[in-house]
Amino acid sequence: MLLSPAPIDAPADRRNYRWVARKPDHRTRRASSPGGPPAATPTPRYTQIPRWGLIDPPPQAGSASRHPLGRLTDSVTKLLVATAGVFVLAALAELARYSVLLHNRTRLINPAVLFASDAFVVVAGALALVFALLAAVAVVGRLIEIRRAAYAEAGRRDPRSPRLLAFGCLVPVLNLLWPGVFLTEVAALRGDPRSRRAIRIWWAVWLFGGGVALAALLWRNADSLQAKADGVLFTAFTDAVAAVVALLTLWVLRTIEGRDLLGRGRAVRRWLIAVDPAVPVIAPVHPGGTADSAPETTGAPAHEDNGAQDREQEEVMAK
């Protein structure tokens, strides 16, 4: 590194360097004749296509970072509808088994029919559990997106992490309480009374469905044949309740998003109190002459006056 021999704080006459400001075209002006115009230079051109340059790709629109449940979240509607359908199928399987039990009271059952009934119940129940789990994970993903959007609109950040939301919604027993809390926080943040009412309805049915599922599990420990037969009907009822819960979950999510159950935009209505009196469209018709308005005369002149008034009223009506 070359340093100037003069000290930094030396006066200007003792420095061995000086700063000179020049225009960008100082070299061209130096080459031209003094006092004359600058020398003309040829226009830059290329004899062939240049091979140099910046070949950077155009900037791509940055996609928002999504959580790991993004793929399932996109299919939450299909999963909830499929879950409701599979639970209805499981309820039908239980009813078919109960009909087989009724038939078995007086007649023997063909082994093929019994095998088909058992297979129907087992396959439908297994599919219902699998679809219920996938739908629950998808609903958690949609809940994360809904909360993130709601807090972003309010200029805030969601205080609950995605892990906490997933833990509160997927862990048994805990998921009877926390999903309603998470949804209520969104409704309170947006101040939507319709969403709040829908969440309360869903929460009540969700708790009822949890109690029914627990009772169905305990019913399996029954030892008498009649109790087991009743347990088949109760299991069918439990599957039907689960199908209703799945549809109500879809309804709650779409209500929070401002849509109806079919996914259409919710129409906004505003009811106003009518305080103005009703204005009749057709004005009432008044008679042209009455006995009170007739002049107090006797004889023919009174009839002539009334006749003139009647003709005048007829002419007005004709016009």
Side-chain angles (χ1 to χ4, degrees):
M1 184 174 180
L2 299 179
L3 299 178
S4 175
I8 298 177
D9 56 347
D13 54 352
R14 294 184 53 187
R15 295 175 186 170
N16 57 353
Y17 60 91
R18 63 189 179 91
W19 293 102
V20 178
R22 297 176 179 175
K23 293 183 179 181
D25 59 341
H26 67 280
R27 296 183 180 180
T28 305
R29 295 180 58 174
R30 180 182 299 177
S32 62
S33 59
T41 57
T43 303
R45 62 188 181 89
Y46 297 97
T47 58
Q48 58 184 358
I49 300 177
R51 302 297 179 183
W52 55 269
L54 300 178
I55 321 177
D56 295 339
Q60 302 293 335
S63 58
S65 59
R66 300 194 65 182
H67 47 80
L69 308 179
R71 294 183 179 180
L72 285 178
T73 302
D74 296 337
S75 305
V76 62
T77 300
K78 297 179 181 179
L79 286 175
L80 285 174
V81 173
T83 301
V86 173
F87 270 110
V88 170
L89 191 65
L92 294 178
E94 296 292 343
L95 293 178
R97 168 178 279 186
Y98 189 77
S99 65
V100 171
L101 293 177
L102 291 179
H103 187 76
N104 192 30
R105 295 176 60 186
T106 56
R107 300 178 183 178
L108 294 178
I109 301 299
N110 192 323
V113 175
L114 184 61
F115 177 78
S117 175
D118 292 341
F120 190 19
V121 170
V122 172
V123 172
L127 287 178
L129 292 178
V130 171
F131 274 91
L133 180 60
L134 293 177
V137 175
V139 169
V140 172
R142 179 56 61 86
L143 176 62
I144 294 173
E145 291 184 352
I146 290 176
R147 289 179 58 92
R148 186 177 300 173
Y151 278 93
E153 292 175 0
R156 299 166 54 188
R157 185 178 181 182
D158 190 358
R160 303 187 185 275
S161 63
R163 292 184 179 180
L164 179 60
L165 295 175
F167 183 80
C169 294
L170 298 179
V171 176
V173 181
L174 293 180
N175 58 4
L176 295 177
L177 173 65
W178 285 108
V181 175
F182 298 151
L183 291 172
T184 304
E185 290 176 351
V186 177
L189 187 63
R190 291 182 173 176
D192 187 3
R194 183 176 300 184
S195 300
R196 194 174 305 170
R197 182 171 59 253
I199 292 171
R200 290 174 181 173
I201 295 174
W202 173 86
W203 203 351
V205 178
W206 173 253
L207 292 175
F208 176 74
V212 169
L214 180 61
L217 290 176
L218 296 178
W219 208 312
R220 294 180 179 273
N221 299 325
D223 52 356
S224 64
L225 294 178
Q226 184 60 45
K228 291 182 178 180
D230 295 339
V232 173
L233 282 181
F234 193 78
T235 304
F237 174 73
T238 304
D239 293 334
V241 171
V244 173
V245 170
L247 293 180
L248 283 180
T249 304
L250 179 60
W251 173 58
V252 166
L253 293 178
R254 288 188 168 178
T255 302
I256 295 177
E257 296 172 353
R259 297 183 294 171
D260 58 2
L261 182 59
L262 299 179
R264 299 170 299 188
R266 190 172 59 194
V268 180
R269 296 181 180 179
R270 182 181 180 186
W271 297 93
L272 300 177
I273 301 177
V275 294
D276 297 333
V279 179
V281 179
I282 301 176
V285 179
H286 301 284
T290 58
D292 296 337
S293 61
E296 296 180 359
T297 57
T298 58
H303 293 284
E304 293 177 357
D305 188 17
N306 291 336
Q309 290 181 0
D310 293 340
R311 287 192 299 272
E312 181 180 357
Q313 182 66 23
E314 291 178 357
E315 292 177 358
V316 172
M317 297 295 293
K319 292 180 180 180

